[in-house]
């Protein structure tokens, strides 16, 4: 009987250990398990970050919502570092207890319904609203500001993503040129008029734009008041290339194509001056 009890106790301990390890790995995000071959987006802005297309699209939306709300770049860094830690920049359907979404916000703690929290725009807006209420957050370390919002059991965990979050924020807020490059390796989610309409609608929702105009059925053009705005929109478009069927993005004398996944210099085109132009994949 003692032997059986000992064996049973050992099995329980092993199961407990495996479960604990799984929870820790889950908590510290999918980014730690992502193979390099899957990281089809690179961001270079005084540093380099590699992400997959889903992570890149989520990061771009988080940054855009921050800019739309008039939050300083430091707030975007805190938000990106938080989402890095909480979800690996993935819009998760579940998590610890009732946590869901990019920031693993909990309906039971008043963050919203599960459906609302799974909306990246809603989740980012709620995060920025909460951060803004933290007195002196601008002078805090990234991890301290994030912790005041999240109240995590791992208060120091956010800091390890601060450097990557700074690289992403510089690029996604337009402080770098041709900094976001993604390769669309599989069939795009949308094509043709459907893609152009979705791209126009979501660009307007993320950035609060009213001057986005469809360019017939193949793409769109976005007015850019200056270089910084132009690269904000251009990088957002590339970040959302996979889920919106973007084939080509051009701003100034640089052009990104889905085929090459890189930015290349092109000849000047007077018709594109002061505009970011995007083309989507045509209907098959």
């Amino acid at each position: 009987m003692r032997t059986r009890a000992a064996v049973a106790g050992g099995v329980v301990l092993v199961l407990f250990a495996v479960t604990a390890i799984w929870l820790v790995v889950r908590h510290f995000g999918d980014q730690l398990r992502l193979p390099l071959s899957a990281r089809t987006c690179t961001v270079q802005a005084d540093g380099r970050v590699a992400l997959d297309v889903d992570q890149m699209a989520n990061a771009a939306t988080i940054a855009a919502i921050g800019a739309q709300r008039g939050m300083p770049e430091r707030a975007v860094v805190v938000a990106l570092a938080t989402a890095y830690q909480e979800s690996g920049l993935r819009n998760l359907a579940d998590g610890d207890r009732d946590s869901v979404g990019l920031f693993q916000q909990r309906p039971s703690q008043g963050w919203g319904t599960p459906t609302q929290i799974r909306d990246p725009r809603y989740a980012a807006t709620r995060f920025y609203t909460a951060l803004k209420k933290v007195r002196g957050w601008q002078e805090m370390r990234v991890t301290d500001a994030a912790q005041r919002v999240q109240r995590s059991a791992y208060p120091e965990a956010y800091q390890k993503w601060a450097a990557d979050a700074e690289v992403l924020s510089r690029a996604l807020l337009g402080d770098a040129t041709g900094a976001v490059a993604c390769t669309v390796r599989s069939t795009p989610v949308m094509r043709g008029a459907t893609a152009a309409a979705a791209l126009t609608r979501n660009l307007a929702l993320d950035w609060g734009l009213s001057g986005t105009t469809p360019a017939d059925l193949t793409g769109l053009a976005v007015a850019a008041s200056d270089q910084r705005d132009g690269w904000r929109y251009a990088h957002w478009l590339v970040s959302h290339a996979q889920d919106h069927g973007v084939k080509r993005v051009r701003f100034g004398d640089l052009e990104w194509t889905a085929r090459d996944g890189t930015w290349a210099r092109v000849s000047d085109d007077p018709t594109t001056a002061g505009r970011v132009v995007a083309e989507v994949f045509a209907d098959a």
Side-chain angles (χ1 to χ4, degrees):
M1 294 295 292
R2 290 182 178 177
T3 301
R4 289 182 181 178
V7 170
V11 170
V12 170
L13 287 173
V14 169
L15 289 174
F16 177 81
V18 169
T19 302
I21 291 170
W22 181 87
L23 287 172
V24 170
V25 170
R26 178 63 178 272
H27 180 83
F28 284 96
D30 292 337
Q31 174 72 10
L32 300 179
R33 302 194 302 270
L34 185 66
L36 289 173
S37 60
R39 300 180 191 180
T40 54
C41 294
T42 58
V43 181
Q44 299 200 47
D46 294 331
R48 185 178 185 277
V49 173
L51 301 173
D52 70 18
V53 291
D54 291 334
Q55 292 173 308
M56 193 70 244
N58 288 328
T61 289
I62 290 170
I65 295 299
Q68 182 184 162
R69 291 182 58 79
M71 299 297 286
E73 187 166 336
R74 180 69 172 178
V76 175
V77 172
V78 175
L80 288 169
T82 302
Y84 247 128
Q85 169 61 23
E86 294 291 352
S87 68
L89 287 171
R90 299 189 186 284
N91 194 12
L92 300 178
D94 55 20
D96 180 40
R97 287 171 283 189
D98 61 335
S99 301
V100 294
L102 287 167
F103 297 92
Q104 289 290 277
Q105 294 155 331
R106 298 180 60 191
S108 64
Q109 294 184 345
W111 287 98
T113 67
T115 299
Q116 287 175 321
I117 297 171
R118 287 294 307 285
D119 178 349
R121 296 184 188 97
Y122 175 91
T125 297
R126 288 300 307 270
F127 180 86
Y128 287 120
T129 299
L131 179 65
K132 196 172 183 178
K133 294 178 180 178
V134 175
R135 181 176 297 180
W137 68 266
Q138 299 93 329
E139 287 74 45
M140 295 179 183
R141 292 187 305 155
V142 167
T143 197
D144 294 333
Q147 174 63 5
R148 291 289 297 275
V149 175
Q150 299 295 108
R151 302 190 182 280
S152 168
Y154 303 90
E156 290 293 321
Y158 304 103
Q159 193 64 34
K160 66 177 175 291
W161 303 112
D164 284 357
E166 288 171 358
V167 172
L168 288 174
S169 66
R170 280 192 291 269
L172 294 170
L173 294 180
D175 295 326
T177 297
V180 178
C182 296
T183 301
V184 180
R185 293 184 175 178
S186 58
T187 303
V189 175
M190 304 178 190
R191 289 177 176 268
T194 300
L199 199 63
T200 301
R201 179 176 64 254
N202 291 326
L203 181 60
L205 287 172
D206 274 13
W207 286 101
L209 300 176
S210 58
T212 306
T213 56
D216 56 57
L217 300 179
T218 62
L220 57 83
V222 188
S225 59
D226 55 31
Q227 287 286 311
R228 191 171 190 235
D229 273 353
W231 284 113
R232 286 181 173 191
Y233 308 146
H235 290 155
W236 185 96
L237 288 162
V238 174
S239 298
H240 284 278
Q242 179 67 56
D243 58 358
H244 285 72
V246 181
K247 181 180 181 180
R248 180 177 67 95
V249 177
R250 175 168 180 165
F251 181 57
D253 62 351
L254 290 177
E255 181 177 271
W256 168 90
T257 60
R259 180 189 61 189
D260 298 328
T262 58
W263 290 89
R265 199 164 298 280
V266 293
S267 59
D268 288 333
D269 181 355
T271 65
T272 63
R275 298 189 303 163
V276 180
V277 178
E279 178 187 353
V280 299
F281 284 92
D283 286 319

